Amino acid sequence: MPALPHDFLTEIAHKYALSPEQEAAFVALYSRSDDDELEAAEMLHLSPSTFRSRMSGVYEKFSIGGKGSGKFYKLQVFLMQAYQTTGATVLVVTEIDVIAQVQAARSQIRPQILEQCGTMRVLDMTQPIALTGEQGIYTNVNILEKLTGRQRLELPELLKQCDVEEFERFGLSRTTEKRVPGLKAAERHPKMMVLGKPGAGKTTFLKYLAMQCIEGNFLPDHLPLFVTLKAFAENEERSNLLKYIGSDSVTPILAAGKALILLDGLDEVREEDTKRIIGQIEQLSSQYPSNYFVITCRIAAKEYTFGQFTEVEVADFNDEQIDTFAHNWFRAKGDADRAKLFRENLNKNRRIKELASSPLLLTLLCLMFEDTTSFPANRSELYKEGLDVLLKKWDGKRKIERDAVYKNLSLKRKEDLLSQIALTTFENKEYFFKQGNLENYITDFIRNLPDAKTDPEALHLDSEAVLKSIESHHGLLVERAKGIYSFSHLTFHEYFSAREIVESRDLAVVQRFVKNITETRWREVFLLTVGMIRNADSLVLMMKQEIDYLLAGDEDLQQFLIWLQQKASAVDTPYKPAAIRAVYFDLALAFDLALVRDLARDPALKGKLQQLRERLPNTSEENRESFKQWWQANGEDWTTQIRAVMVEHRNIGHNWQFSKEQKQLLQQYYDANKLLVDCLNSDCYVSREVREEIEATLLLPSAAP
């Protein structure tokens, strides 16, 4: 922008009765060739806040409203026009004309931007929702300036980035890369290619940039131009990009470098149009290089690069962004109180919360929660709906066509392929898998389909294309580092593993699955499988049998179970015997096996133990982390008190003298029984007869296999 002379600015300051302090700030800012308030403040030895306060008074004197840097440019246009009347040079007149043209074009295009970018409507929303403003849904996104899939890491290095404290819940959506606020990234990179998984919020971010620009909060001296590339590519006139955005009125603005060109959805362009559209973008960005360009595209969608563009990636939502989005969503729906309830329910279920890192799936969760104020009791139903969104609805509702190799697979076959990959890798403890191995899994699947190619090289090429399609179309498999993949969420890895077990109808597969009853990492797969199967009688009976076998060959542990049965039988209570056995077993594990054997004999002892037990926080699966934190802070003191009570009321008596291995086996046995009970209490179909049979025989001694 042109700098204005001090004498002219001083004259204007006197004309509008600026105070000496306001005049100094006014002259310092508008005698510069940029709008840097910080440098102007430093020149006057003022703090930024003091300088801004003085300039607020200046804008009031000129009757200029608005917010942010938009006020600066409104006053600048006025000053330029006033200066022109004094006989300004041709250069200044030209710049005045451009500024005036930009402001006029912004006023003209504002209704279109508000219509095109002011709202969002996805999935089953019944009406659009405002993007910005007091009732706006928009949540600020973060940008990764280093693409996660471009990291050159080996598997051991990648595993180090995972949550080592809870190895079974990898937290695969997390990343150690530095996050940059979206607006800051857009300011930093005038030519930016924004990549992201399906539903990551790329289009919403682009709309937000357009809205911030037209409202004067971002590049207020630029003209925002929003282009949906799919619509442009399929335009009947097939005009070039410059004509499509309006060459006559826009060309001078482009030539002056005063446009913000937002190009949305490069991956959504049909294959036959791709080359032409890429050429159009390259031509426009080369012809008018001084403008801001932002392009959005799905990760792995196309194999191309734009030489002058910086590639960045939209980061998954973190906890703070999830909370903000939920608050904004339910506030916009007129029910802000429900946002708190939503967050509470979400925090109780880590599996479901994993999905909330995706803005698209978080929107789905909010839609589900609107009417019922809860999530489905059967988590597999929720996951299936989320997968339906990613596998078919997200593209289908926007009428997007994808490449030929992958679209020939039906929805069921796509799910079958992902299920086969999931169970194979899960059984091998492979949460990350190399691209070559993954392509081999795909080859083994597609070679058995009708009309499959028989040539090994052709099959390999097809398997590579299918992998890239799964990644770009649905985001269910993602590249975590160069040539290393995983499922986008461990929840989906577990869901598809359970689906493979249910769909295979192979007894050997089920028997192999049940052998994992003591492995913590299989817990969610068991819960999902019993919820997905039509009749779970056979499966839960197999689980019960496998659990009983755990202690069947150990005489000492069988004696302990006999003692457990005798103790429970001696207690007069309305609760089921299995529940009483579980209480004794739980106490035995929590305290010490030797301290519990005479619990029922002494009412005073029993009362004190009950008081101590009531101090323990909830030990449920959902509250595990809180319990760990409580135990670290209070466990030592609590244990000291329980031992003191036992010393006061009872001689220790019999000591079982179990080995370390036996104690570990008892813990596994207890956890496996708890898993079985959790399965029975989930939303699964088990006949009353089988349910009663299992409940009656829980934690009882069994014969050797």
Side-chain angles (χ1 to χ4, degrees):
M1 78 179 201
L4 292 167
H6 281 71
D7 292 345
F8 168 74
L9 292 172
T10 301
E11 181 182 342
I12 293 292
H14 292 165
K15 182 178 179 180
Y16 282 84
L18 301 186
S19 70
E21 294 80 10
Q22 291 171 344
E23 178 181 335
F26 169 70
V27 172
L29 185 58
Y30 284 96
S31 61
R32 301 177 54 80
S33 59
D34 57 43
D35 61 346
D36 194 331
E37 289 187 350
L38 290 178
E39 289 194 9
E42 288 179 4
M43 186 172 67
L44 297 175
H45 306 291
L46 298 174
S47 68
S49 60
T50 300
F51 185 87
R52 283 193 293 270
S53 176
R54 292 183 180 182
M55 284 306 301
S56 294
V58 171
Y59 295 132
E60 287 180 9
K61 292 287 181 68
F62 284 92
S63 300
I64 290 176
K67 57 182 179 179
S69 54
K71 293 187 290 186
F72 170 88
Y73 287 102
K74 289 178 182 178
L75 181 53
Q76 184 194 45
V77 170
F78 169 79
L79 293 174
M80 286 297 201
Q81 291 171 341
Y83 184 56
Q84 184 179 357
T85 63
T86 67
T89 65
V90 175
L91 175 62
V92 174
V93 171
T94 302
E95 294 188 16
I96 292 172
D97 289 343
V98 170
I99 293 171
Q101 284 179 325
V102 170
Q103 295 303 322
R106 284 170 59 88
S107 298
Q108 185 177 2
I109 205 173
R110 180 182 175 85
Q112 179 183 334
I113 293 294
L114 295 179
E115 174 70 22
Q116 193 174 12
C117 303
T119 60
M120 62 170 283
R121 182 178 180 180
V122 297
L123 302 178
D124 296 326
M125 292 171 60
T126 57
Q127 59 186 16
I129 190 169
L131 191 66
T132 59
E134 293 184 1
Q135 297 297 314
I137 187 65
Y138 185 76
T139 300
N140 291 326
V141 302
N142 288 324
I143 295 294
L144 305 176
E145 295 184 305
K146 292 184 179 179
L147 304 186
T148 54
R150 303 279 175 85
Q151 304 175 92
R152 293 191 176 275
L153 300 176
E154 296 297 326
L155 280 172
E157 296 176 279
L158 197 57
L159 289 170
K160 286 180 182 178
Q161 296 185 3
C162 298
D163 187 349
V164 294
E165 293 184 0
E166 286 201 29
F167 190 75
E168 76 277 11
R169 304 303 310 171
F170 269 115
L172 294 176
S173 62
R174 299 176 186 173
T175 177
T176 58
E177 293 296 335
K178 181 181 177 182
R179 295 165 175 248
V180 178
L183 271 180
K184 186 175 181 179
E187 291 174 350
R188 184 182 297 178
H189 306 295
K191 289 185 175 64
M192 187 167 69
M193 179 86 152
V194 180
L195 303 171
K197 297 188 288 290
K202 301 180 295 297
T203 297
T204 305
F205 173 58
L206 215 60
K207 287 184 174 183
Y208 178 71
L209 290 181
M211 291 295 295
Q212 290 297 97
C213 182
I214 205 65
E215 295 292 351
N217 301 320
F218 173 66
L219 298 178
D221 60 335
H222 282 59
L223 176 67
L225 299 168
F226 189 96
V227 178
T228 301
L229 289 173
K230 180 178 183 293
F232 163 59
E234 298 172 9
N235 183 266
E236 292 182 359
E237 297 180 1
R238 301 181 68 83
S239 59
N240 64 43
L241 188 53
L242 181 58
K243 290 182 179 179
Y244 187 77
I245 60 179
S247 59
D248 293 340
S249 59
V250 171
T251 299
I253 296 173
L254 290 171
K258 292 297 183 181
L260 169 62
I261 302 167
L262 305 167
L263 305 172
D264 186 42
L266 185 55
D267 59 284
E268 298 176 0
V269 174
R270 293 177 303 193
E271 195 70 32
E272 60 266 29
D273 294 325
T274 298
K275 185 176 180 180
R276 177 173 62 87
I277 299 306
I278 291 174
Q280 292 283 324
I281 296 172
E282 289 178 335
Q283 179 181 348
L284 187 66
S285 61
S286 298
Q287 187 174 355
Y288 301 105
S290 300
N291 296 279
Y292 278 77
F293 289 82
V294 185
I295 309 171
T296 65
C297 184
R298 289 186 183 181
I299 287 178
K302 311 283 184 186
E303 292 294 334
Y304 48 63
T305 56
F306 293 93
Q308 302 302 314
F309 281 69
T310 300
E311 293 184 348
V312 300
E313 180 180 343
V314 178
D316 291 332
F317 272 1
N318 56 28
D319 287 352
E320 182 181 353
Q321 289 169 307
I322 292 170
D323 288 348
T324 300
F325 183 95
H327 171 76
N328 292 347
W329 176 279
F330 290 105
R331 179 195 60 191
K333 299 286 184 176
D335 192 358
D337 292 338
R338 189 162 297 196
K340 181 180 179 182
L341 188 60
F342 174 85
R343 294 195 298 271
E344 290 174 353
N345 276 264
L346 198 62
N347 289 330
K348 289 177 183 177
N349 197 311
R350 291 176 298 159
R351 270 70 174 182
I352 294 176
K353 189 174 181 179
E354 278 184 31
L355 305 184
S357 63
S358 160
L360 176 63
L361 295 180
L362 177 55
T363 302
L364 175 64
L365 293 175
C366 288
L367 283 167
M368 286 182 169
F369 203 83
E370 275 186 19
D371 297 325
T372 61
T373 64
S374 64
F375 299 119
N378 190 329
R379 283 200 293 269
S380 65
E381 293 179 1
L382 185 151
Y383 301 156
K384 186 178 189 314
E385 186 163 350
L387 288 165
D388 282 347
V389 167
L390 293 173
L391 284 167
K392 60 180 181 180
K393 289 183 180 179
W394 191 226
D395 276 353
K397 287 201 171 187
R398 294 175 297 156
K399 300 178 181 178
I400 297 171
E401 298 179 12
R402 299 297 183 180
D403 54 80
V405 175
Y406 188 54
K407 72 180 182 182
N408 289 334
L409 289 176
S410 66
L411 175 61
K412 184 179 186 308
R413 290 295 172 237
K414 292 174 184 178
E415 292 177 321
D416 289 344
L417 169 59
L418 289 164
S419 298
Q420 185 171 298
I421 293 171
L423 185 58
T424 301
T425 53
F426 203 88
E427 286 183 324
N428 294 334
K429 297 183 179 180
E430 295 176 354
Y431 301 99
F432 300 100
F433 13 92
K434 293 187 175 181
Q435 181 174 340
N437 295 338
L438 195 51
E439 289 173 358
N440 289 337
Y441 296 144
I442 295 172
T443 298
D444 289 342
F445 182 86
I446 64 177
R447 66 192 294 272
N448 295 313
L449 298 176
D451 302 323
K453 297 174 182 176
T454 56
D455 178 64
E457 182 62 26
L459 269 173
H460 173 74
L461 292 174
D462 280 355
S463 67
E464 186 177 4
V466 167
L467 173 57
K468 290 298 180 183
S469 295
I470 294 173
E471 182 179 10
S472 64
H473 298 183
H474 316 307
L476 294 174
L477 293 174
V478 296
E479 195 170 13
R480 299 293 180 182
K482 196 72 174 177
I484 300 177
Y485 283 78
S486 78
F487 278 87
S488 57
H489 300 278
L490 186 53
T491 291
F492 287 154
H493 199 164
E494 293 165 330
Y495 171 85
F496 279 119
S497 296
R499 184 184 180 279
E500 178 69 4
I501 294 164
V502 172
E503 294 289 325
S504 68
R505 296 179 176 82
D506 186 336
L507 181 59
V509 170
V510 178
Q511 290 175 331
R512 192 170 67 242
F513 165 57
V514 171
K515 293 290 183 183
N516 300 298
I517 191 73
T518 60
E519 289 197 45
T520 306
R521 70 189 190 91
W522 283 90
R523 174 181 172 79
E524 181 69 3
V525 182
F526 276 100
L527 289 166
L528 290 171
T529 303
V530 298
M532 293 165 68
I533 200 168
R534 190 182 69 80
N535 186 327
D537 280 0
S538 297
L539 177 57
V540 294
L541 286 171
M542 290 175 67
M543 291 168 63
K544 176 65 167 60
Q545 185 180 48
E546 186 68 26
I547 293 169
D548 288 343
Y549 282 170
L550 290 173
L551 306 188
D554 190 310
E555 185 175 344
D556 290 341
L557 299 183
Q558 288 296 308
Q559 286 298 316
F560 171 68
L561 292 180
I562 292 172
W563 168 83
L564 203 67
Q565 181 183 15
Q566 292 171 345
K567 285 296 179 186
S569 300
V571 176
D572 184 16
T573 175
Y575 296 107
K576 294 180 180 179
I580 304 304
R581 292 195 294 271
V583 169
Y584 273 96
F585 205 126
D586 192 20
L587 288 170
L589 291 177
F591 306 154
D592 190 303
L593 293 169
L595 301 180
V596 187
R597 56 187 306 270
D598 294 324
L599 174 63
R601 296 179 185 175
D602 189 337
L605 170 61
K606 186 175 180 179
K608 290 184 177 181
L609 288 176
Q610 181 61 31
Q611 291 177 5
L612 284 167
R613 183 165 180 78
E614 288 174 354
R615 284 184 55 197
L616 289 171
N618 185 357
T619 59
S620 66
E621 170 72 13
E622 292 77 12
N623 203 47
R624 182 192 297 181
E625 190 59 36
S626 297
F627 179 79
K628 285 182 179 179
Q629 294 175 1
W630 183 92
W631 186 258
Q632 288 175 356
N634 305 285
E636 185 175 352
D637 177 64
W638 189 86
T639 303
T640 300
Q641 291 186 50
I642 190 73
R643 291 186 182 278
V645 168
M646 295 305 296
V647 168
E648 177 187 354
H649 286 269
R650 180 74 58 229
N651 290 329
I652 298 303
H654 175 70
N655 192 330
W656 293 102
Q657 294 293 328
F658 288 143
S659 67
K660 179 180 178 181
E661 290 75 16
Q662 286 175 316
K663 291 179 180 178
Q664 289 176 342
L665 191 57
L666 275 175
Q667 184 68 59
Q668 289 180 341
Y669 176 79
Y670 176 83
D671 291 342
N673 273 287
K674 186 176 185 306
L675 172 58
L676 179 58
V677 172
D678 288 343
C679 286
L680 292 174
N681 291 336
S682 67
D683 185 38
C684 67
Y685 181 89
V686 176
S687 67
R688 183 176 298 278
E689 294 77 15
V690 169
R691 188 182 297 273
E692 290 176 351
E693 176 187 343
I694 290 176
E695 290 177 351
T697 57
L698 284 171
L699 303 174
L700 286 180
S702 57

